[in-house]
Amino acid sequence: MRIIFATGNSKKLDEAREYLEPLGHNVELLIIDGQPPDFIEPQSSELMEVAISKSKQAINMLSESEVMNCAILVEDSGLFIDSLNGFPGVYSSYVFETIGLDGILKLMSEERKRHCEYRAVTVLMMNGTRIVTTGVCRGKIGENICGDGGFGYDPIFFPDDSNGLSFGQMSKSQKSTLSHRGKSLKALSEAITHPSM
Ligand code: IMP
């Protein structure tokens, strides 16, 4: 299947390709007027609402004829820290750009309960049908920055069952087997292959 991914995040595109291309799907970046799409961030505390809003925006950016032939993929994700009541959550991107990894480590410096999770919501629009899938990856916020792989919070995110490695210390394929994005894309590819499930 030809899947057009509407994202401005090249790392998300790489990870989607890592997962979906071996399954026979071709993942391309949505480019409009030479740029990836620039979404209006809806005011919502729910990833699902944000992802569905972005999916509708992506469809509206395309003409009817283009939409008819393509599957349009949108994904929204974030890091939810238990002891901070889910912060930064839907604000993960903004918080990363403003206070960064050091800011999160500082916020957590006195905290012994370091459990958190990454969440992803994936929305695929295909021939007027919407497929929505989700993925969660539980883990802990580390004490220090470890590794320089992945993106965003990966160097401080230690997934459960990872033998003490952060996502920042893993290869793309290692991360994909454990990650929220990998799980959400797995559910998506199953839904595409077996539409009635
Ligand atoms: P959005 O989905 O484009 O709104 O951005 C999600 C934000 O959450 C990213 O910019 C990262 O800061 C963070 N995030 C989501 N998934 C990951 C991941 O797999 N690794 C690291 N950070 C992530």
Side-chain angles (χ1 to χ4, degrees), residues 12 15 41 54 75-78 92-93 96 118 151-154 175 180-181:
K12 282 189 184 181
E15 290 185 11
E41 284 286 332
K54 287 183 180 175
E75 187 246 67
D76 216 73
S77 48
S92 293
S93 179
F96 181 75
Y118 272 136
F151 68 99
Y153 301 96
D154 285 346
K175 177 180 171 184
H180 51 313
R181 186 161 300 104

mmCIF file with all atom_site columns, all heavy atoms in Angstrom, residues 12 15 41 54 75-78 92-93 96 118 151-154 175 180-181, ligand 1:
data_model
loop_
_atom_site.group_PDB
_atom_site.id
_atom_site.type_symbol
_atom_site.label_atom_id
_atom_site.label_alt_id
_atom_site.label_comp_id
_atom_site.label_asym_id
_atom_site.label_entity_id
_atom_site.label_seq_id
_atom_site.pdbx_PDB_ins_code
_atom_site.Cartn_x
_atom_site.Cartn_y
_atom_site.Cartn_z
_atom_site.occupancy
_atom_site.B_iso_or_equiv
_atom_site.pdbx_formal_charge
_atom_site.auth_seq_id
_atom_site.auth_comp_id
_atom_site.auth_asym_id
_atom_site.auth_atom_id
_atom_site.pdbx_PDB_model_num
ATOM   1   N N   . LYS A 1 12  ? 10.113 10.481 12.958 1.00 0.00 ? 12  LYS A N   1
ATOM   2   C CA  . LYS A 1 12  ? 8.885  9.677  12.941 1.00 0.00 ? 12  LYS A CA  1
ATOM   3   C C   . LYS A 1 12  ? 8.747  8.975  11.598 1.00 0.00 ? 12  LYS A C   1
ATOM   4   O O   . LYS A 1 12  ? 8.334  7.819  11.526 1.00 0.00 ? 12  LYS A O   1
ATOM   5   C CB  . LYS A 1 12  ? 7.652  10.564 13.152 1.00 0.00 ? 12  LYS A CB  1
ATOM   6   C CG  . LYS A 1 12  ? 7.404  10.992 14.576 1.00 0.00 ? 12  LYS A CG  1
ATOM   7   C CD  . LYS A 1 12  ? 6.032  11.662 14.633 1.00 0.00 ? 12  LYS A CD  1
ATOM   8   C CE  . LYS A 1 12  ? 5.697  12.214 15.984 1.00 0.00 ? 12  LYS A CE  1
ATOM   9   N NZ  . LYS A 1 12  ? 4.364  12.826 16.000 1.00 0.00 ? 12  LYS A NZ  1
ATOM   10  N N   . GLU A 1 15  ? 11.025 6.021  11.486 1.00 0.00 ? 15  GLU A N   1
ATOM   11  C CA  . GLU A 1 15  ? 10.528 4.899  12.301 1.00 0.00 ? 15  GLU A CA  1
ATOM   12  C C   . GLU A 1 15  ? 9.341  4.217  11.629 1.00 0.00 ? 15  GLU A C   1
ATOM   13  O O   . GLU A 1 15  ? 9.199  2.995  11.702 1.00 0.00 ? 15  GLU A O   1
ATOM   14  C CB  . GLU A 1 15  ? 10.173 5.379  13.717 1.00 0.00 ? 15  GLU A CB  1
ATOM   15  C CG  . GLU A 1 15  ? 11.422 5.744  14.509 1.00 0.00 ? 15  GLU A CG  1
ATOM   16  C CD  . GLU A 1 15  ? 11.172 6.105  15.966 1.00 0.00 ? 15  GLU A CD  1
ATOM   17  O OE1 . GLU A 1 15  ? 10.052 5.886  16.465 1.00 0.00 ? 15  GLU A OE1 1
ATOM   18  O OE2 . GLU A 1 15  ? 12.108 6.615  16.600 1.00 0.00 ? 15  GLU A OE2 1
ATOM   19  N N   . GLU A 1 41  ? -2.290 23.321 16.037 1.00 0.00 ? 41  GLU A N   1
ATOM   20  C CA  . GLU A 1 41  ? -2.407 22.431 17.200 1.00 0.00 ? 41  GLU A CA  1
ATOM   21  C C   . GLU A 1 41  ? -3.735 22.692 17.897 1.00 0.00 ? 41  GLU A C   1
ATOM   22  O O   . GLU A 1 41  ? -3.954 23.786 18.409 1.00 0.00 ? 41  GLU A O   1
ATOM   23  C CB  . GLU A 1 41  ? -1.275 22.683 18.199 1.00 0.00 ? 41  GLU A CB  1
ATOM   24  C CG  . GLU A 1 41  ? 0.078  22.125 17.817 1.00 0.00 ? 41  GLU A CG  1
ATOM   25  C CD  . GLU A 1 41  ? 0.196  20.594 17.954 1.00 0.00 ? 41  GLU A CD  1
ATOM   26  O OE1 . GLU A 1 41  ? -0.501 20.012 18.799 1.00 0.00 ? 41  GLU A OE1 1
ATOM   27  O OE2 . GLU A 1 41  ? 0.990  20.016 17.188 1.00 0.00 ? 41  GLU A OE2 1
ATOM   28  N N   . LYS A 1 54  ? -5.647 16.590 13.319 1.00 0.00 ? 54  LYS A N   1
ATOM   29  C CA  . LYS A 1 54  ? -4.563 16.718 12.327 1.00 0.00 ? 54  LYS A CA  1
ATOM   30  C C   . LYS A 1 54  ? -4.875 15.894 11.077 1.00 0.00 ? 54  LYS A C   1
ATOM   31  O O   . LYS A 1 54  ? -4.543 16.300 9.962  1.00 0.00 ? 54  LYS A O   1
ATOM   32  C CB  . LYS A 1 54  ? -3.237 16.279 12.943 1.00 0.00 ? 54  LYS A CB  1
ATOM   33  C CG  . LYS A 1 54  ? -2.694 17.293 13.947 1.00 0.00 ? 54  LYS A CG  1
ATOM   34  C CD  . LYS A 1 54  ? -1.348 16.872 14.488 1.00 0.00 ? 54  LYS A CD  1
ATOM   35  C CE  . LYS A 1 54  ? -0.800 17.870 15.492 1.00 0.00 ? 54  LYS A CE  1
ATOM   36  N NZ  . LYS A 1 54  ? 0.457  17.421 16.110 1.00 0.00 ? 54  LYS A NZ  1
ATOM   37  N N   . GLU A 1 75  ? 0.182  10.808 12.941 1.00 0.00 ? 75  GLU A N   1
ATOM   38  C CA  . GLU A 1 75  ? 0.467  10.204 14.254 1.00 0.00 ? 75  GLU A CA  1
ATOM   39  C C   . GLU A 1 75  ? 0.737  11.305 15.267 1.00 0.00 ? 75  GLU A C   1
ATOM   40  O O   . GLU A 1 75  ? 1.439  12.263 14.965 1.00 0.00 ? 75  GLU A O   1
ATOM   41  C CB  . GLU A 1 75  ? 1.679  9.283  14.128 1.00 0.00 ? 75  GLU A CB  1
ATOM   42  C CG  . GLU A 1 75  ? 1.937  8.501  15.399 1.00 0.00 ? 75  GLU A CG  1
ATOM   43  C CD  . GLU A 1 75  ? 3.225  8.902  16.053 1.00 0.00 ? 75  GLU A CD  1
ATOM   44  O OE1 . GLU A 1 75  ? 3.337  10.059 16.534 1.00 0.00 ? 75  GLU A OE1 1
ATOM   45  O OE2 . GLU A 1 75  ? 4.130  8.078  16.056 1.00 0.00 ? 75  GLU A OE2 1
ATOM   46  N N   . ASP A 1 76  ? 0.126  11.174 16.440 1.00 0.00 ? 76  ASP A N   1
ATOM   47  C CA  . ASP A 1 76  ? 0.424  12.112 17.510 1.00 0.00 ? 76  ASP A CA  1
ATOM   48  C C   . ASP A 1 76  ? 0.890  11.309 18.715 1.00 0.00 ? 76  ASP A C   1
ATOM   49  O O   . ASP A 1 76  ? 0.367  10.239 19.001 1.00 0.00 ? 76  ASP A O   1
ATOM   50  C CB  . ASP A 1 76  ? -0.799 12.953 17.860 1.00 0.00 ? 76  ASP A CB  1
ATOM   51  C CG  . ASP A 1 76  ? -0.359 14.363 18.211 1.00 0.00 ? 76  ASP A CG  1
ATOM   52  O OD1 . ASP A 1 76  ? 0.025  15.103 17.294 1.00 0.00 ? 76  ASP A OD1 1
ATOM   53  O OD2 . ASP A 1 76  ? -0.344 14.704 19.412 1.00 0.00 ? 76  ASP A OD2 1
ATOM   54  N N   . SER A 1 77  ? 1.891  11.831 19.390 1.00 0.00 ? 77  SER A N   1
ATOM   55  C CA  . SER A 1 77  ? 2.483  11.052 20.478 1.00 0.00 ? 77  SER A CA  1
ATOM   56  C C   . SER A 1 77  ? 2.983  11.980 21.565 1.00 0.00 ? 77  SER A C   1
ATOM   57  O O   . SER A 1 77  ? 3.054  13.199 21.392 1.00 0.00 ? 77  SER A O   1
ATOM   58  C CB  . SER A 1 77  ? 3.634  10.193 19.934 1.00 0.00 ? 77  SER A CB  1
ATOM   59  O OG  . SER A 1 77  ? 4.482  10.972 19.125 1.00 0.00 ? 77  SER A OG  1
ATOM   60  N N   . GLY A 1 78  ? 3.354  11.397 22.691 1.00 0.00 ? 78  GLY A N   1
ATOM   61  C CA  . GLY A 1 78  ? 3.885  12.217 23.776 1.00 0.00 ? 78  GLY A CA  1
ATOM   62  C C   . GLY A 1 78  ? 4.384  11.363 24.918 1.00 0.00 ? 78  GLY A C   1
ATOM   63  O O   . GLY A 1 78  ? 4.149  10.154 24.969 1.00 0.00 ? 78  GLY A O   1
ATOM   64  N N   . SER A 1 92  ? 4.341  17.682 24.804 1.00 0.00 ? 92  SER A N   1
ATOM   65  C CA  . SER A 1 92  ? 5.707  17.136 24.794 1.00 0.00 ? 92  SER A CA  1
ATOM   66  C C   . SER A 1 92  ? 6.633  17.868 23.836 1.00 0.00 ? 92  SER A C   1
ATOM   67  O O   . SER A 1 92  ? 7.793  18.141 24.158 1.00 0.00 ? 92  SER A O   1
ATOM   68  C CB  . SER A 1 92  ? 5.671  15.651 24.419 1.00 0.00 ? 92  SER A CB  1
ATOM   69  O OG  . SER A 1 92  ? 5.033  14.920 25.424 1.00 0.00 ? 92  SER A OG  1
ATOM   70  N N   . SER A 1 93  ? 6.130  18.171 22.663 1.00 0.00 ? 93  SER A N   1
ATOM   71  C CA  . SER A 1 93  ? 6.968  18.796 21.652 1.00 0.00 ? 93  SER A CA  1
ATOM   72  C C   . SER A 1 93  ? 7.409  20.193 22.126 1.00 0.00 ? 93  SER A C   1
ATOM   73  O O   . SER A 1 93  ? 8.606  20.537 22.095 1.00 0.00 ? 93  SER A O   1
ATOM   74  C CB  . SER A 1 93  ? 6.167  18.867 20.352 1.00 0.00 ? 93  SER A CB  1
ATOM   75  O OG  . SER A 1 93  ? 6.890  19.473 19.380 1.00 0.00 ? 93  SER A OG  1
ATOM   76  N N   . PHE A 1 96  ? 9.786  19.983 25.102 1.00 0.00 ? 96  PHE A N   1
ATOM   77  C CA  . PHE A 1 96  ? 11.133 19.569 24.676 1.00 0.00 ? 96  PHE A CA  1
ATOM   78  C C   . PHE A 1 96  ? 11.895 20.760 24.092 1.00 0.00 ? 96  PHE A C   1
ATOM   79  O O   . PHE A 1 96  ? 13.073 20.962 24.383 1.00 0.00 ? 96  PHE A O   1
ATOM   80  C CB  . PHE A 1 96  ? 11.039 18.430 23.651 1.00 0.00 ? 96  PHE A CB  1
ATOM   81  C CG  . PHE A 1 96  ? 12.391 17.959 23.195 1.00 0.00 ? 96  PHE A CG  1
ATOM   82  C CD1 . PHE A 1 96  ? 13.166 17.172 24.022 1.00 0.00 ? 96  PHE A CD1 1
ATOM   83  C CD2 . PHE A 1 96  ? 12.906 18.355 21.969 1.00 0.00 ? 96  PHE A CD2 1
ATOM   84  C CE1 . PHE A 1 96  ? 14.441 16.757 23.633 1.00 0.00 ? 96  PHE A CE1 1
ATOM   85  C CE2 . PHE A 1 96  ? 14.165 17.954 21.572 1.00 0.00 ? 96  PHE A CE2 1
ATOM   86  C CZ  . PHE A 1 96  ? 14.933 17.145 22.405 1.00 0.00 ? 96  PHE A CZ  1
ATOM   87  N N   . TYR A 1 118 ? 5.344  6.432  27.112 1.00 0.00 ? 118 TYR A N   1
ATOM   88  C CA  . TYR A 1 118 ? 5.139  7.074  25.822 1.00 0.00 ? 118 TYR A CA  1
ATOM   89  C C   . TYR A 1 118 ? 3.812  6.552  25.297 1.00 0.00 ? 118 TYR A C   1
ATOM   90  O O   . TYR A 1 118 ? 3.508  5.358  25.430 1.00 0.00 ? 118 TYR A O   1
ATOM   91  C CB  . TYR A 1 118 ? 6.198  6.625  24.819 1.00 0.00 ? 118 TYR A CB  1
ATOM   92  C CG  . TYR A 1 118 ? 7.482  7.396  24.755 1.00 0.00 ? 118 TYR A CG  1
ATOM   93  C CD1 . TYR A 1 118 ? 8.688  6.706  24.667 1.00 0.00 ? 118 TYR A CD1 1
ATOM   94  C CD2 . TYR A 1 118 ? 7.514  8.781  24.694 1.00 0.00 ? 118 TYR A CD2 1
ATOM   95  C CE1 . TYR A 1 118 ? 9.897  7.373  24.558 1.00 0.00 ? 118 TYR A CE1 1
ATOM   96  C CE2 . TYR A 1 118 ? 8.720  9.461  24.573 1.00 0.00 ? 118 TYR A CE2 1
ATOM   97  C CZ  . TYR A 1 118 ? 9.905  8.757  24.506 1.00 0.00 ? 118 TYR A CZ  1
ATOM   98  O OH  . TYR A 1 118 ? 11.096 9.411  24.373 1.00 0.00 ? 118 TYR A OH  1
ATOM   99  N N   . PHE A 1 151 ? 15.166 10.355 19.109 1.00 0.00 ? 151 PHE A N   1
ATOM   100 C CA  . PHE A 1 151 ? 14.901 11.794 19.100 1.00 0.00 ? 151 PHE A CA  1
ATOM   101 C C   . PHE A 1 151 ? 14.186 12.164 20.398 1.00 0.00 ? 151 PHE A C   1
ATOM   102 O O   . PHE A 1 151 ? 13.901 11.299 21.238 1.00 0.00 ? 151 PHE A O   1
ATOM   103 C CB  . PHE A 1 151 ? 14.073 12.205 17.868 1.00 0.00 ? 151 PHE A CB  1
ATOM   104 C CG  . PHE A 1 151 ? 12.664 11.691 17.852 1.00 0.00 ? 151 PHE A CG  1
ATOM   105 C CD1 . PHE A 1 151 ? 11.606 12.498 18.241 1.00 0.00 ? 151 PHE A CD1 1
ATOM   106 C CD2 . PHE A 1 151 ? 12.385 10.406 17.445 1.00 0.00 ? 151 PHE A CD2 1
ATOM   107 C CE1 . PHE A 1 151 ? 10.290 12.038 18.224 1.00 0.00 ? 151 PHE A CE1 1
ATOM   108 C CE2 . PHE A 1 151 ? 11.077 9.916  17.432 1.00 0.00 ? 151 PHE A CE2 1
ATOM   109 C CZ  . PHE A 1 151 ? 10.033 10.735 17.817 1.00 0.00 ? 151 PHE A CZ  1
ATOM   110 N N   . GLY A 1 152 ? 13.910 13.435 20.561 1.00 0.00 ? 152 GLY A N   1
ATOM   111 C CA  . GLY A 1 152 ? 13.137 13.905 21.707 1.00 0.00 ? 152 GLY A CA  1
ATOM   112 C C   . GLY A 1 152 ? 13.672 13.359 23.031 1.00 0.00 ? 152 GLY A C   1
ATOM   113 O O   . GLY A 1 152 ? 14.864 13.479 23.341 1.00 0.00 ? 152 GLY A O   1
ATOM   114 N N   . TYR A 1 153 ? 12.784 12.737 23.796 1.00 0.00 ? 153 TYR A N   1
ATOM   115 C CA  . TYR A 1 153 ? 13.110 12.297 25.159 1.00 0.00 ? 153 TYR A CA  1
ATOM   116 C C   . TYR A 1 153 ? 13.836 10.942 25.206 1.00 0.00 ? 153 TYR A C   1
ATOM   117 O O   . TYR A 1 153 ? 14.087 10.421 26.299 1.00 0.00 ? 153 TYR A O   1
ATOM   118 C CB  . TYR A 1 153 ? 11.816 12.217 25.989 1.00 0.00 ? 153 TYR A CB  1
ATOM   119 C CG  . TYR A 1 153 ? 11.091 13.546 26.073 1.00 0.00 ? 153 TYR A CG  1
ATOM   120 C CD1 . TYR A 1 153 ? 10.045 13.855 25.206 1.00 0.00 ? 153 TYR A CD1 1
ATOM   121 C CD2 . TYR A 1 153 ? 11.468 14.508 27.001 1.00 0.00 ? 153 TYR A CD2 1
ATOM   122 C CE1 . TYR A 1 153 ? 9.391  15.085 25.257 1.00 0.00 ? 153 TYR A CE1 1
ATOM   123 C CE2 . TYR A 1 153 ? 10.827 15.737 27.070 1.00 0.00 ? 153 TYR A CE2 1
ATOM   124 C CZ  . TYR A 1 153 ? 9.793  16.013 26.189 1.00 0.00 ? 153 TYR A CZ  1
ATOM   125 O OH  . TYR A 1 153 ? 9.162  17.244 26.252 1.00 0.00 ? 153 TYR A OH  1
ATOM   126 N N   . ASP A 1 154 ? 14.177 10.385 24.059 1.00 0.00 ? 154 ASP A N   1
ATOM   127 C CA  . ASP A 1 154 ? 14.752 9.026  24.039 1.00 0.00 ? 154 ASP A CA  1
ATOM   128 C C   . ASP A 1 154 ? 15.983 8.847  24.937 1.00 0.00 ? 154 ASP A C   1
ATOM   129 O O   . ASP A 1 154 ? 16.118 7.803  25.582 1.00 0.00 ? 154 ASP A O   1
ATOM   130 C CB  . ASP A 1 154 ? 15.075 8.592  22.599 1.00 0.00 ? 154 ASP A CB  1
ATOM   131 C CG  . ASP A 1 154 ? 13.811 8.229  21.834 1.00 0.00 ? 154 ASP A CG  1
ATOM   132 O OD1 . ASP A 1 154 ? 12.754 8.068  22.476 1.00 0.00 ? 154 ASP A OD1 1
ATOM   133 O OD2 . ASP A 1 154 ? 13.881 8.106  20.598 1.00 0.00 ? 154 ASP A OD2 1
ATOM   134 N N   . LYS A 1 175 ? 14.374 -0.212 19.013 1.00 0.00 ? 175 LYS A N   1
ATOM   135 C CA  . LYS A 1 175 ? 13.357 0.702  19.562 1.00 0.00 ? 175 LYS A CA  1
ATOM   136 C C   . LYS A 1 175 ? 11.973 0.325  19.033 1.00 0.00 ? 175 LYS A C   1
ATOM   137 O O   . LYS A 1 175 ? 11.003 0.291  19.781 1.00 0.00 ? 175 LYS A O   1
ATOM   138 C CB  . LYS A 1 175 ? 13.694 2.161  19.199 1.00 0.00 ? 175 LYS A CB  1
ATOM   139 C CG  . LYS A 1 175 ? 12.634 3.142  19.685 1.00 0.00 ? 175 LYS A CG  1
ATOM   140 C CD  . LYS A 1 175 ? 12.916 4.599  19.362 1.00 0.00 ? 175 LYS A CD  1
ATOM   141 C CE  . LYS A 1 175 ? 11.691 5.444  19.690 1.00 0.00 ? 175 LYS A CE  1
ATOM   142 N NZ  . LYS A 1 175 ? 11.819 6.854  19.333 1.00 0.00 ? 175 LYS A NZ  1
ATOM   143 N N   . HIS A 1 180 ? 5.993  2.661  21.642 1.00 0.00 ? 180 HIS A N   1
ATOM   144 C CA  . HIS A 1 180 ? 4.603  3.067  21.455 1.00 0.00 ? 180 HIS A CA  1
ATOM   145 C C   . HIS A 1 180 ? 4.277  3.168  19.965 1.00 0.00 ? 180 HIS A C   1
ATOM   146 O O   . HIS A 1 180 ? 3.252  2.720  19.506 1.00 0.00 ? 180 HIS A O   1
ATOM   147 C CB  . HIS A 1 180 ? 4.383  4.406  22.164 1.00 0.00 ? 180 HIS A CB  1
ATOM   148 C CG  . HIS A 1 180 ? 5.396  5.463  21.798 1.00 0.00 ? 180 HIS A CG  1
ATOM   149 N ND1 . HIS A 1 180 ? 6.743  5.221  21.767 1.00 0.00 ? 180 HIS A ND1 1
ATOM   150 C CD2 . HIS A 1 180 ? 5.254  6.767  21.411 1.00 0.00 ? 180 HIS A CD2 1
ATOM   151 C CE1 . HIS A 1 180 ? 7.385  6.319  21.400 1.00 0.00 ? 180 HIS A CE1 1
ATOM   152 N NE2 . HIS A 1 180 ? 6.500  7.272  21.183 1.00 0.00 ? 180 HIS A NE2 1
ATOM   153 N N   . ARG A 1 181 ? 5.208  3.755  19.197 1.00 0.00 ? 181 ARG A N   1
ATOM   154 C CA  . ARG A 1 181 ? 4.983  3.938  17.758 1.00 0.00 ? 181 ARG A CA  1
ATOM   155 C C   . ARG A 1 181 ? 4.956  2.579  17.052 1.00 0.00 ? 181 ARG A C   1
ATOM   156 O O   . ARG A 1 181 ? 4.092  2.323  16.216 1.00 0.00 ? 181 ARG A O   1
ATOM   157 C CB  . ARG A 1 181 ? 6.085  4.837  17.181 1.00 0.00 ? 181 ARG A CB  1
ATOM   158 C CG  . ARG A 1 181 ? 5.920  5.230  15.726 1.00 0.00 ? 181 ARG A CG  1
ATOM   159 C CD  . ARG A 1 181 ? 6.750  6.446  15.381 1.00 0.00 ? 181 ARG A CD  1
ATOM   160 N NE  . ARG A 1 181 ? 6.374  7.578  16.193 1.00 0.00 ? 181 ARG A NE  1
ATOM   161 C CZ  . ARG A 1 181 ? 7.105  8.032  17.234 1.00 0.00 ? 181 ARG A CZ  1
ATOM   162 N NH1 . ARG A 1 181 ? 8.284  7.500  17.526 1.00 0.00 ? 181 ARG A NH1 1
ATOM   163 N NH2 . ARG A 1 181 ? 6.672  9.038  17.953 1.00 0.00 ? 181 ARG A NH2 1
HETATM 164 P P1  . IMP B 2 .   ? 3.857  15.487 18.076 1.00 0.00 ? 1   IMP B P1  1
HETATM 165 O O1  . IMP B 2 .   ? 3.259  14.119 18.047 1.00 0.00 ? 1   IMP B O1  1
HETATM 166 O O2  . IMP B 2 .   ? 4.417  15.875 16.763 1.00 0.00 ? 1   IMP B O2  1
HETATM 167 O O3  . IMP B 2 .   ? 2.933  16.491 18.695 1.00 0.00 ? 1   IMP B O3  1
HETATM 168 O O4  . IMP B 2 .   ? 5.140  15.453 19.017 1.00 0.00 ? 1   IMP B O4  1
HETATM 169 C C1  . IMP B 2 .   ? 5.315  14.523 19.972 1.00 0.00 ? 1   IMP B C1  1
HETATM 170 C C2  . IMP B 2 .   ? 6.500  14.888 20.845 1.00 0.00 ? 1   IMP B C2  1
HETATM 171 O O5  . IMP B 2 .   ? 6.573  13.905 21.863 1.00 0.00 ? 1   IMP B O5  1
HETATM 172 C C3  . IMP B 2 .   ? 7.835  14.831 20.111 1.00 0.00 ? 1   IMP B C3  1
HETATM 173 O O6  . IMP B 2 .   ? 8.211  16.070 19.602 1.00 0.00 ? 1   IMP B O6  1
HETATM 174 C C4  . IMP B 2 .   ? 8.779  14.357 21.222 1.00 0.00 ? 1   IMP B C4  1
HETATM 175 O O7  . IMP B 2 .   ? 9.182  15.442 22.001 1.00 0.00 ? 1   IMP B O7  1
HETATM 176 C C5  . IMP B 2 .   ? 7.871  13.453 22.055 1.00 0.00 ? 1   IMP B C5  1
HETATM 177 N N1  . IMP B 2 .   ? 7.936  12.075 21.539 1.00 0.00 ? 1   IMP B N1  1
HETATM 178 C C6  . IMP B 2 .   ? 6.948  11.351 20.963 1.00 0.00 ? 1   IMP B C6  1
HETATM 179 N N2  . IMP B 2 .   ? 7.387  10.141 20.594 1.00 0.00 ? 1   IMP B N2  1
HETATM 180 C C7  . IMP B 2 .   ? 8.688  10.111 20.926 1.00 0.00 ? 1   IMP B C7  1
HETATM 181 C C8  . IMP B 2 .   ? 9.691  9.123  20.747 1.00 0.00 ? 1   IMP B C8  1
HETATM 182 O O8  . IMP B 2 .   ? 9.500  8.031  20.197 1.00 0.00 ? 1   IMP B O8  1
HETATM 183 N N3  . IMP B 2 .   ? 10.900 9.465  21.200 1.00 0.00 ? 1   IMP B N3  1
HETATM 184 C C9  . IMP B 2 .   ? 11.162 10.656 21.803 1.00 0.00 ? 1   IMP B C9  1
HETATM 185 N N4  . IMP B 2 .   ? 10.277 11.620 21.980 1.00 0.00 ? 1   IMP B N4  1
HETATM 186 C C10 . IMP B 2 .   ? 9.022  11.341 21.526 1.00 0.00 ? 1   IMP B C10 1
#
